[in-house]
Structure formats: structure tokens, C-alpha cells
Amino acid sequence: MRLILISGLSGSGKSVALRALEDAGYYCVDNLPATMLQEAVSIYATYGYEQIAISVDTRSSPSLGALPVEMQKLRERGIDVRLLFLESKTDTLVKRFSETRRRHPLSGSGLTVEECIRQEEELLASVQELGARIDTSELSANALRTWVNELVEADDNRLTVIFQSFGFKYGVPLDADFVFDVRCLPNPYYDKQLRPLTGQDAEIVAYFAQYPMVADLMSDIRQFLAKWLPAFRQDNRSYLTVAIGCTGGQHRSVFIAESLAKSFASEQVLLRHRQLYRDV
């Protein structure tokens, strides 16, 4: 049996993630206390369900502290348990609650939305380190569905290295483990013919091939990652997100992320372009 746990901040897209898994053939349950996971899995097993997705979040906050222990117990039963933690920047969450006019689950205590978000972050602090984190800020629903499916399909017995391009003008991704700033590189944005293109286009690749400093920077990043990846494997990490940032997340960061993903093809690699997904 495979069990995918969805957790994270209210308004970060947990419902979208759960629906994506339901479309992928998972039997989905929303808002189950962590202390009921053992019993629920046993019941679903008797009915022959092999793929289950369950949302566990602050709506059942008294049981959150038991989640790490319950996950370990399930693994000891031979169940493939994974957790996806969704989060977003505070201003993004406030905007989403304002647009949908929905109440925050913790708002009953008379707190403002910002105060509810801070309180929820504190309640979930121990949960976010249990699995793969996804920052859904500036991310479309279609992109989130794609990222969720990619993470679920990855082999959990191997370290998954996620190369993610982004634009600093939109903020540093919350889910980044390493951040490399490549804004020091020549910028094709200032060439009107190259401006509409992205780092995936052949013309942009040819543009960067002119500059030895681009190859030097990539070589330094490759050497750093090659040196430290073994340490993360020994630490039993399942996911490592390497974020590459330029100004707008369209040219330099995309090109570098694409190149690094190819360099580490022998690893289990996922490639994300955060800003290219904004309007998808």
C-alpha cells in the first residue's frame, strides 16, 4: 500500500493537491486526525485500496504531535508513507482568503488572518520537515497538480534532487534548501530579440555559450553539489531542492537549472521553472 499525506498551511492548495491525487487513482480522505491513521489504513486495506491520500492539518491540531510516530509505525508495517507539505508566503495567503471570502480555520479565536497564519505556522513547524515541501506562492493550480504528481511518482528510496529556477523579483521560494544567485551573469533580457525567449530556447543557450564566466559558475555549483550530495543521502534525506535565481526567472536561472539537471542525470532529478509556470 502507498499512503500520501497532505499537510500544510490553510489556503496553500491542499485541496488542489488532494484532487490531483484523486484524479491519479488515489482514494482520498480530507482532514483525518493523525491518531486515526493506523485504524483508517487497516480499514481501507480490507477493502483492497492500494493507493490512499489523506489530508492531515491544523483542523485536527491536537493530534499533530503524534504524526511522526504514526508515520513510523505505518512504515514498520511495510506501507510506503510519504508526506507533501504545502506552504505559501503570508501576503499570498492573505490575498487568497480575501478573494475567496473564506474564514481561516483558526479565526474562531478572534485573530486576524495574519495572526492566524503565524499561529498555524507554529503549529505545523514540526510537520514541514517530515517530507517534501512545495511553495505554492505565484503557482497556478495546473502547475501544482503537475508538481504533486511528479513527487508522488519519484522513487522514495532514492534522494530526489529538485532543480528549481525562480525570479528574485517574486521572492525566494520557501521550499529551497540551497539558493544560488546567478544575477551576476550577462542578461539576454536587454537584447530585444532575445527578450521574449526563455532559457530553454536554443538562441539563449547559444548566447550563454559566448561567456566563459557562465561555464565557470556552473562548474562551481556542480562541484559544490557533487561534494555534499553524499552527506544528504547519509542523513536519509528524501528531497533536496536547489533553487537558482535571476531577476525575472526567465533566462539565466532557467538555463542554469536546465544545465545542472542534465549534469546530474545519474541522480533522481526533478526540474521546475517557477516563473514559467505562473500563467499555466
Side-chain angles (χ1 to χ4, degrees):
M1 178 184 289
R2 171 180 286 184
L3 172 61
I4 306 298
L5 299 177
I6 303 292
S7 190
L9 299 175
S10 301
S12 62
K14 298 191 300 295
S15 296
V16 173
L18 209 58
R19 286 197 296 271
L21 293 173
E22 187 174 34
D23 292 341
Y26 282 76
Y27 181 82
C28 296
V29 181
D30 186 26
N31 188 24
L32 187 73
T35 50
M36 294 182 63
L37 287 174
Q38 298 283 339
E39 181 181 357
V41 166
S42 297
I43 293 173
Y44 299 141
T46 62
Y47 287 98
Y49 291 110
E50 296 183 354
Q51 296 188 123
I52 303 169
I54 299 176
S55 173
V56 180
D57 51 48
T58 52
R59 289 172 292 176
S60 303
S61 57
S63 70
L64 280 176
L67 186 57
V69 173
E70 295 300 322
M71 289 177 63
Q72 182 58 35
K73 289 179 180 178
L74 289 167
R75 290 188 175 114
E76 291 172 356
R77 291 172 57 180
I79 297 171
D80 178 8
V81 183
R82 310 186 191 189
L83 184 140
L84 304 183
F85 187 90
L86 277 57
E87 56 192 330
S88 289
K89 297 179 176 67
T90 299
D91 57 346
T92 300
L93 295 174
V94 171
K95 181 180 178 182
R96 289 175 182 172
F97 276 106
S98 176
E99 290 175 345
T100 60
R101 298 186 178 181
R102 295 183 60 191
R103 296 180 62 187
H104 193 283
L106 302 180
S107 62
S109 54
L111 302 175
T112 65
V113 174
E114 291 90 340
E115 291 170 336
C116 289
I117 292 169
R118 286 196 294 270
Q119 184 178 37
E120 191 172 35
E121 287 174 340
E122 293 175 2
L123 290 171
L124 292 169
S126 61
V127 177
Q128 68 176 0
E129 302 301 330
L130 298 176
R133 297 167 60 190
I134 304 178
D135 179 1
T136 67
S137 308
E138 303 289 340
L139 201 63
S140 70
N142 284 338
L144 176 56
R145 284 191 284 267
T146 298
W147 291 14
V148 166
N149 287 325
E150 288 177 345
L151 284 169
V152 168
E153 291 303 315
D155 182 357
D156 198 42
N157 293 316
R158 297 178 61 194
L159 174 66
T160 300
V161 183
I162 303 168
F163 289 103
Q164 179 178 173
S165 69
F166 73 96
F168 275 98
K169 65 187 292 184
Y170 303 105
V172 178
L174 299 173
D175 52 11
D177 295 302
F178 289 116
V179 177
F180 293 97
D181 185 348
V182 299
R183 288 176 292 184
C184 60
L185 300 179
N187 192 353
Y189 175 85
Y190 296 108
D191 185 322
K192 292 184 179 180
Q193 292 184 331
L194 299 178
R195 184 176 300 175
L197 304 178
T198 75
Q200 297 173 319
D201 292 309
E203 294 89 341
I204 300 297
V205 174
Y207 172 87
F208 286 124
Q210 306 173 73
Y211 299 97
M213 66 182 302
V214 176
D216 289 343
L217 181 57
M218 283 196 296
S219 177
D220 289 343
I221 297 175
R222 280 196 298 265
Q223 290 180 31
F224 175 85
L225 294 175
K227 176 180 179 178
W228 289 104
L229 280 180
F232 283 94
R233 290 195 197 91
Q234 292 175 6
D235 194 40
N236 295 319
R237 285 284 295 272
S238 297
Y239 306 95
L240 181 71
T241 300
V242 181
I244 312 295
C246 63
T247 303
Q250 180 180 342
H251 300 109
R252 293 168 290 183
S253 61
V254 172
F255 170 76
I256 298 295
E258 292 269 346
S259 301
L260 289 172
K262 293 176 182 176
S263 298
F264 288 90
S266 60
E267 305 287 341
Q268 181 168 240
V269 168
L270 294 179
L271 183 61
R272 299 172 175 171
H273 298 303
R274 179 167 289 275
Q275 263 52 74
L276 298 191
Y277 274 116
R278 292 184 73 238
D279 300 318
V280 175

